């Protein structure tokens, strides 16, 4: 996610740095899909009002209508992974941000998720990551879902990763993770199983933090 934040904030800094908060608040009432007010978003997230203004400028620069669709999201994300295919991971990440499941991300959706990923508690971050892996949103992670996400991450990192990644490495990682997480061996991982396994296993936690870095 640092990649997406980077492109939004970088382009913001390049244009009209002298704007004040009145300009920003006025603009926030004029887009097609008006976001929540700055004060309300400040209360709901871990961002300051000034940080929200910066994020909003960048968001509006990329998405003048006030919403971002999946194709735009994929285009932004692909710019930061030129040696790999980021399309599938961006698809899953988009769905995680699209909490209303309506095919678009509003500014509020974006900053609420970003607040958790960047400044949430450990449990909040793990809960968000769990929902990313829970592709069908049934409250569980099965082996196929975990495999799809992990393969998407490896595809995104590209074939030029050093050392070179063998074709069976993603599946090996999934098998190892699933064996440790599925405590009762019922074939699925619950939220609590996921959180406990990550908290108990330092290597698994580092792996989850590595995956978080490409969000």
């Amino acid at each position: 996610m640092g990649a997406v934040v980077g492109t939004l904030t970088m382009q913001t800094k390049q244009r009209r740095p002298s704007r004040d908060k009145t300009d920003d608040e006025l603009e926030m009432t004029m887009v097609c899909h008006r976001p929540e007010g700055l004060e309300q978003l400040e209360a709901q997230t871990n961002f300051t009002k000034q940080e929200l203004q910066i994020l909003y400028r960048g968001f509006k620069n990329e998405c003048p209508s006030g919403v971002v669709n999946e194709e735009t999201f994929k285009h932004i994300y692909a710019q930061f992974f030129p040696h790999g295919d980021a399309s599938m991971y961006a698809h899953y990440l988009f769905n995680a941000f699209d909490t209303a499941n309506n095919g678009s991300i509003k500014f509020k959706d974006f900053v609420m998720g970003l607040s958790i990923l960047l400044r949430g508690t450990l449990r909040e971050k793990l809960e968000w990551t769990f929902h990313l892996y829970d592709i069908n949103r049934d409250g569980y992670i099965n082996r196929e879902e975990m495999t799809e996400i992990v393969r998407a991450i490896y595809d995104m990192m590209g074939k030029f990763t050093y050392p070179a990644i063998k074709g069976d490495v993603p599946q090996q990682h999934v098998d190892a993770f699933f064996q440790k997480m599925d405590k009762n061996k019922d074939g699925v991982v619950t939220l609590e199983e996921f959180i406990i396994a990550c908290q108990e296993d330092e290597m698994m936690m580092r792996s989850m933090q590595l995956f978080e870095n490409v969000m």
Side-chain angles (χ1 to χ4, degrees):
M1 179 46 63
V4 177
V5 177
T7 191
L8 293 176
T9 56
M10 178 175 65
Q11 294 194 27
T12 295
K13 293 176 182 177
Q14 291 174 347
R15 32 194 315 267
R16 301 163 68 181
S18 61
R19 299 171 60 88
D20 58 29
K21 71 175 184 178
T22 303
D23 294 325
D24 291 314
E25 290 177 340
L26 178 61
E27 279 196 4
M28 291 184 80
T29 67
M30 295 175 63
V31 294
C32 297
H33 298 267
R34 189 175 75 176
E36 302 291 336
L38 283 176
E39 292 83 2
Q40 188 171 347
L41 286 176
E42 185 178 13
Q44 293 175 326
T45 68
N46 296 314
F47 294 121
T48 66
K49 198 170 184 178
Q50 182 180 14
E51 290 169 332
L52 288 168
Q53 289 169 348
I54 293 173
L55 287 169
Y56 179 71
R57 292 179 198 169
F59 188 90
K60 187 173 182 294
N61 184 65
E62 288 289 334
C63 319
S65 68
V67 297
V68 57
N69 60 31
E70 184 172 340
E71 289 308 309
T72 301
F73 190 85
K74 286 181 177 179
H75 174 73
I76 295 172
Y77 220 77
Q79 297 176 47
F80 294 87
F81 299 94
H83 299 300
D85 180 359
S87 60
M88 283 308 300
Y89 187 75
H91 166 73
Y92 294 129
L93 190 59
F94 179 89
N95 287 343
F97 274 97
D98 179 16
T99 54
N101 197 28
N102 61 7
S104 64
I105 300 173
K106 297 180 181 179
F107 180 67
K108 179 182 178 180
D109 301 325
F110 177 70
V111 294
M112 292 289 285
L114 202 62
S115 175
I116 293 173
L117 290 173
L118 295 182
R119 297 180 182 174
T121 64
L122 176 59
R123 183 180 179 89
E124 288 172 337
K125 291 180 179 181
L126 289 174
E127 286 178 350
W128 200 95
T129 304
F130 177 89
H131 293 304
L132 170 69
Y133 280 79
D134 180 17
I135 296 173
N136 65 7
R137 302 186 180 183
D138 66 351
Y140 303 93
I141 300 174
N142 60 44
R143 191 179 295 270
E144 291 72 23
E145 288 174 321
M146 184 174 287
T147 301
E148 286 189 39
I149 297 291
V150 172
R151 286 195 182 280
I153 292 172
Y154 278 106
D155 287 344
M156 179 174 61
M157 301 310 292
K159 297 179 180 180
F160 301 102
T161 306
Y162 182 84
I165 298 174
K166 297 181 180 179
D168 59 346
V169 169
Q171 188 61 55
Q172 291 175 0
H173 283 180
V174 169
D175 291 342
F177 288 157
F178 214 86
Q179 183 175 1
K180 293 178 180 179
M181 290 180 180
D182 185 14
K183 300 291 187 182
N184 61 359
K185 308 303 179 186
D186 63 352
V188 295
V189 174
T190 66
L191 174 60
E192 288 305 315
E193 285 177 327
F194 181 84
I195 291 175
I196 291 172
C198 288
Q199 291 176 332
E200 290 181 346
D201 191 306
E202 183 178 351
M203 182 176 297
M204 187 177 297
M205 178 66 74
R206 286 201 302 267
S207 297
M208 289 300 158
Q209 289 172 342
L210 173 63
F211 293 161
E212 178 186 302
N213 290 337
V214 299
M215 291 179 189

